[in-house]
Amino acid sequence: MKSNVIIKSIILDTICLLYVLLFVYAAVSKFLDFENFQVQLGQSPLLSAFAEWVSWAVPIIELSIVLLLIIRKWRNFGLIAALFLMSMFTSYIFIILNYSSFVPCSCGGILEKMGWNAHLIFNIVFIVLAVLALALEGKSNNNNSIAKKRLTFFKSSAISILSGGAIMAILFLSSEEIIHHENPFIRRYPQHPIMLTHTTDLKFNSYYFAGYVDNRMYLGNYTDPLHVLSVDTNLRHRQVLKISFDSKNIPFKMVKIVVRKPYVYLMDGRVPAIFMGKTTDWKITKELKGSPYFTLAEPVDSTRILFRSNNGKNLAHVIGVFTSDSVSKIKYNTDLLQQQLDGVFDTDGMLLYGDKLQKMVYLYYYRNEFIVADKYSGLVRRGHTIDTITKAKIKVSYLKNGTERKMTAPPQTVNAHATISGGLLFVHSKIKGRYEDDKLWDQASIIDVYDLQKKTYLLSFPIYGIEDKKLQSFFVTTTHLYALIGNQLVVYELKSILKKEINMLESTAF
């Protein structure tokens, strides 16, 4: 009988010692690499919104449990607390593996040395050990009746396990709501949402993305406007196409080519002039007469063009629609762009049109706002990027009695480039978020992805530079991301986490 008591005591002491070693190691490793631990929590799909206080709370709780376990009269409370915390950790991993939108990197400590599935098993083993220790601890207390000891054991074990799982589920749901709808500027970086597949040297850095039709990318060239470079996804088949066009001595100043199946458009807002033809023969055959002057333009169809011009009050930017039918019409929506300072620099941005959405998106350069409008320039809604720059940080001076204006200091660019694919908005952000590594920002350009239908932020990923060159522009299809970096055209394959979102949004109405 005495030997049984000694064996049970040894087992109980061993389990407590294992927990002490585990929590001391885990807490110390977190404190020694605290910044990295906090960054990893900030990128967790469960705890992103709570990373700041959770990063401090977890190691402090672990060390507190150690103190309870090594003081014999408090050991029972220590075991209950250990079971509770381990139940939370196990629930965390279970939710990550089964319900999370992506599986993040490890969070330091032992988890850094294991895979997620291996660590799930590891945690379950420690839960079993904690339950066993509580049972042995209850039996070592001879002052209670057997029935009362059993009831206390089952209650404490069940409450610890269930409450640990419930709290983690609540944190998960709360964090998801905060990150997607009320983001406190914390980015999520899932593992490998894109994968580099091909790259080619274009020899010149004057190319731009003109369009994508039937699995081929079309690149325009500012220095050679009538030649279009066509490449396939693998960059193996390159073709230079010559646009057939009689310029009729029109004094073009800045010609841009846009390819939208089945049309090719030739546009210059400074003339102004808009011409179009078919991609079947690359011949310009029609002029959309009556075009207004414009600084940006996006074709909608064979007769309608969305544009931005300086026809607003005091030459401010304004969005409009030009329709070239039997009678040309120009309609302005003076309420879309909202002035903060001068109406020109503060409203500068990018004009995008999504064929699948049949919606226009206007994204400001210098503030965290974008506008979604229909193809008639009617406002659908206003949205925000996840950074905190709500007001353009620019300084403007007026010259020649107020007839000219210029920036007197370098502006803080918030959004540098953007594109639409399906119902997703991809934004090249220039603002560093919370818990982000300086080294990453030195080496890469960060792309944030937004779901325009659900009005949510989804995820972020880096596009790494080549040598000393960084991202100049990019274009996203349903399967690939194309990037211009210096003279290089780089192709990335979209992985399932992005393909799934694009395909799902393309199959539903906006």
Side-chain angles (χ1 to χ4, degrees), residues 182-187 340 366-369 384-393 412 414-415 429-434 448 450:
E182 307 168 24
N183 194 293
F185 204 9
I186 299 174
R187 288 189 171 91
Q340 291 183 335
Y366 307 122
R367 52 176 133 154
N368 66 344
E369 185 178 349
H384 293 87
T385 52
I386 60 173
D387 59 90
T388 57
I389 312 300
T390 58
K391 187 172 181 178
K393 296 183 178 181
Q412 181 178 25
V414 176
N415 306 303
S429 175
K430 301 288 283 187
I431 305 298
K432 181 183 173 185
R434 297 171 67 189
D448 298 327
Y450 301 87

Side-chain angles (χ1 to χ4, degrees), residues 136-415:
L136 295 174
E137 177 73 8
K139 289 181 180 179
S140 66
N141 186 352
N142 296 321
N143 296 325
N144 296 324
S145 66
I146 294 176
K148 188 175 181 180
K149 285 187 289 186
R150 285 179 178 174
L151 180 61
T152 302
F153 162 68
F154 283 117
K155 274 186 177 181
S156 58
S157 299
I159 291 173
S160 296
I161 294 172
L162 293 176
S163 59
I167 289 175
M168 188 53 65
I170 292 170
L171 287 175
F172 168 57
L173 294 174
S174 300
S175 182
E176 287 292 282
E177 176 66 20
I178 292 171
I179 290 298
H180 288 309
H181 298 281
E182 307 168 24
N183 194 293
F185 204 9
I186 299 174
R187 288 189 171 91
R188 287 184 169 178
Y189 293 93
Q191 297 184 54
H192 314 302
I194 61 172
M195 181 179 69
L196 176 64
T197 57
H198 300 89
T199 171
T200 187
D201 190 350
L202 299 175
K203 307 300 182 184
F204 303 100
N205 63 0
S206 54
Y207 285 98
Y208 60 90
F209 293 110
Y212 181 83
V213 177
D214 296 334
N215 298 318
R216 294 191 69 84
M217 176 59 65
Y218 294 91
L219 299 172
N221 192 321
Y222 288 115
T223 60
D224 191 4
L226 296 182
H227 286 85
V228 176
L229 176 62
S230 171
V231 297
D232 63 353
T233 302
N234 298 323
L235 302 182
R236 293 176 182 172
H237 182 252
R238 297 172 57 164
Q239 182 181 9
V240 178
L241 303 165
K242 174 69 181 295
I243 296 175
S244 177
F245 173 57
D246 181 6
S247 64
K248 302 175 184 178
N249 296 319
I250 298 174
F252 289 107
K253 298 177 181 178
M254 181 62 74
V255 174
K256 185 175 181 181
I257 302 298
V258 176
V259 180
R260 291 265 172 79
K261 187 178 182 180
Y263 304 109
V264 54
Y265 300 84
L266 186 151
M267 304 186 294
D268 189 338
R270 298 185 184 181
V271 175
I274 301 175
F275 295 86
M276 61 181 291
K278 292 288 188 71
T279 54
T280 51
D281 56 13
W282 296 93
K283 290 183 179 180
I284 299 298
T285 58
K286 180 181 178 182
E287 179 181 5
L288 278 63
K289 294 182 179 181
S291 166
Y293 287 91
F294 57 86
T295 52
L296 296 173
E298 283 291 321
V300 175
D301 51 39
S302 61
T303 62
R304 187 177 294 109
I305 307 290
L306 286 162
F307 68 92
R308 185 194 73 184
S309 75
N310 292 112
N311 284 349
K313 186 178 180 180
N314 297 323
L315 301 179
H317 284 140
V318 63
I319 299 295
V321 180
F322 165 56
T323 305
S324 177
D325 219 330
S326 56
V327 178
S328 296
K329 297 178 182 178
I330 301 172
K331 176 186 175 183
Y332 293 100
N333 187 337
T334 57
D335 297 325
L336 276 184
L337 303 184
Q338 296 181 327
Q339 180 176 332
Q340 291 183 335
L341 296 170
D342 69 319
V344 177
F345 294 119
D346 64 339
T347 58
D348 201 4
M350 295 158 274
L351 180 64
L352 310 169
Y353 183 74
D355 288 329
K356 299 292 184 181
L357 289 177
Q358 293 194 353
K359 296 290 186 296
M360 178 206 85
V361 173
Y362 189 87
L363 177 67
Y364 292 108
Y365 281 131
Y366 307 122
R367 52 176 133 154
N368 66 344
E369 185 178 349
F370 60 88
I371 301 161
V372 181
D374 60 30
K375 59 185 179 181
Y376 305 102
S377 78
L379 178 65
V380 175
R381 71 177 183 89
R382 299 182 188 275
H384 293 87
T385 52
I386 60 173
D387 59 90
T388 57
I389 312 300
T390 58
K391 187 172 181 178
K393 296 183 178 181
I394 58 176
K395 292 182 179 180
V396 180
S397 293
Y398 293 86
L399 308 175
K400 296 182 180 180
N401 297 321
T403 59
E404 291 185 10
R405 69 193 90 188
K406 65 179 294 185
M407 287 192 186
T408 56
Q412 181 178 25
T413 301
V414 176
N415 306 303

